[in-house]
Amino acid sequence: MMSMQMTPFIMLDGKAEAAIRFYEEALQAKVVFKQTFGDAPPQSWNRPLTEEERKRIAHCVIKAGDTELFVADADAGEYDQPGSQVSICISVDKADTARQTYESLQQGGQIVRPLAAIYFSPAYGIVKDKFDVVFQIFTKRS
């Protein structure tokens, strides 16, 4: 049986830090993990980052009660369409499972980010399904 976890993921454009502080207060949420773009290995980017870009949130996990919520800053303009700020992150254990899930969800939909290895995951991609729901497919490192 495959292991799969689905988590709501809020993608913002430079407002993630403010949103995190807001959710800490409004939901009594606790930050479990936080990483900025600047914390990523330098070879992850195809160009040097500005100081402002380095401060953007690459990934944050907050916990409110028994629920986790992911919050991050997208690349500028990537999630600026209404309804695209909230996606579902599907976390799986194996790249084969990620590929199968990604290919199944893209049927009748569109590829937002091709499934590929990235510094934080051996197989990561984003797809919008035929119902305009955005899914991030994330493979955990072994």
Side-chain angles (χ1 to χ4, degrees):
M1 177 177 248
M2 79 172 152
S3 172
M4 181 182 290
Q5 176 183 348
M6 292 190 210
T7 308
F9 201 133
I10 298 173
M11 296 294 285
L12 301 167
D13 188 3
K15 298 177 184 167
E17 187 66 52
I20 293 162
R21 286 193 306 270
F22 175 77
Y23 298 137
E24 283 179 305
E25 187 171 317
L27 303 174
Q28 289 81 51
K30 302 288 183 225
V31 173
V32 178
F33 174 83
K34 185 163 59 170
Q35 182 180 48
T36 65
F37 284 1
D39 293 330
Q43 67 272 22
S44 302
W45 307 102
N46 58 3
R47 62 178 173 74
L49 298 178
T50 66
E51 193 55 39
E52 189 62 32
E53 288 171 323
R54 293 179 57 73
K55 293 177 186 175
R56 291 172 74 96
I57 304 298
H59 188 58
C60 180
V61 179
I62 62 174
K63 190 163 183 163
D66 294 332
T67 304
E68 283 189 347
L69 179 66
F70 297 165
V71 182
D73 286 313
D75 291 335
E78 188 174 14
Y79 284 87
D80 57 356
Q81 297 298 316
S84 66
Q85 295 87 354
V86 179
S87 63
I88 298 170
C89 183
I90 299 176
S91 300
V92 297
D93 293 330
K94 298 179 181 168
D96 289 344
T97 304
R99 188 166 324 290
Q100 178 183 14
T101 304
Y102 181 86
E103 289 173 359
S104 294
L105 286 169
Q106 75 170 331
Q107 298 302 312
Q110 72 182 69
I111 294 171
V112 177
R113 175 172 286 183
L115 188 71
I118 192 165
Y119 77 93
F120 57 82
S121 174
Y124 174 77
I126 304 172
V127 64
K128 184 185 287 189
D129 74 7
K130 63 184 175 182
F131 303 105
D132 290 331
V133 177
V134 177
F135 289 90
Q136 296 185 48
I137 313 302
F138 168 78
T139 309
K140 300 173 188 175
R141 292 214 178 268
S142 301

